[in-house]
Amino acid sequence: MKVLLIADSPAWAIGKIARCIVQYNEHINFNLLYVHPKNVAAHVDEVRKAFADCDLVHFLYWNSAKQLMELMPELKTKPRILSHFNQKNLLTDRWDDYDLITACTEKSVGILKHEYPNVKKINLAADLDYLKFNENYPSKDPKVGYVGRVVPWKGL
């Protein structure tokens, strides 16, 4: 199977996820392209060329996917997957043109399933055999950990 995998930026988290998908799925023939959402039109020719030689398109960033689908209606002629990695913009647009929608949290899946029947949860991976829960962790004071950008829509 030949999969066209479209991420947003090699320097961002989704770019890292894309590289891991390729690295740990050697049995699949991936063509990984980066299409930044602020510069989608500049990549149309590159995407069109790669699209001609793929069986499936997997979009890893909703905004790049949305713009490419508008600029390239031919993308609708092959199976398409859209992956959501955050809870922002889950319902601001319609995702009817995708054969499968994936999300990595129960909350995102729950929100999307109210609108779409073709939603599946794919966890972001951690080796739970190696990273065991520590029953003896001191819990005298509450502890809060956060990794990510601090932005208003996250409600921090």
Side-chain angles (χ1 to χ4, degrees):
M1 172 172 286
K2 295 179 180 179
V3 176
L4 175 55
L5 189 62
I6 301 177
D8 52 0
S9 170
W12 293 352
I14 294 173
K16 174 64 173 174
I17 291 168
R19 288 190 301 279
C20 288
I21 289 171
V22 172
Q23 179 180 353
Y24 294 108
N25 291 281
E26 295 174 353
H27 59 288
I28 298 174
N29 184 1
F30 286 102
N31 184 356
L32 173 57
L33 299 181
Y34 296 101
V35 179
H36 193 285
K38 291 186 178 178
N39 198 18
V40 172
H43 294 278
V44 168
D45 290 339
E46 178 185 21
V47 172
R48 188 167 278 130
K49 182 179 177 184
F51 178 74
D53 190 39
C54 77
D55 301 309
L56 178 143
V57 183
H58 186 174
F59 298 97
L60 294 176
Y61 189 63
W62 67 271
N63 198 355
S64 298
K66 174 187 162 189
Q67 293 178 66
L68 281 168
M69 292 287 277
E70 290 170 359
L71 292 169
M72 299 176 59
E74 65 266 29
L75 291 172
K76 296 177 184 178
T77 64
K78 294 183 182 178
R80 294 155 316 283
I81 299 171
L82 174 64
S83 292
H84 275 285
F85 292 98
N86 64 50
Q87 293 166 202
K88 186 179 180 204
N89 302 103
L90 290 174
L91 299 177
T92 56
D93 290 290
R94 295 296 306 172
W95 312 116
D96 299 299
D97 290 329
Y98 299 91
D99 299 292
L100 177 65
I101 302 167
T102 71
C104 56
T105 66
E106 291 291 338
K107 183 170 184 175
S108 294
V109 168
I111 291 168
L112 287 164
K113 278 199 169 192
H114 284 290
E115 294 287 325
Y116 307 99
N118 56 337
V119 179
K120 300 289 181 197
K121 181 179 176 204
I122 299 178
N123 292 316
L124 296 177
D127 184 346
L128 298 179
D129 292 325
Y130 178 74
L131 301 169
K132 300 267 187 210
F133 182 74
N134 183 353
E135 297 285 346
N136 300 318
Y137 184 77
S139 61
K140 295 174 187 168
D141 298 317
K143 305 209 177 10
V144 177
Y146 174 78
V147 175
R149 291 184 301 154
V150 177
V151 290
W153 62 82
K154 292 187 179 180
L156 299 172

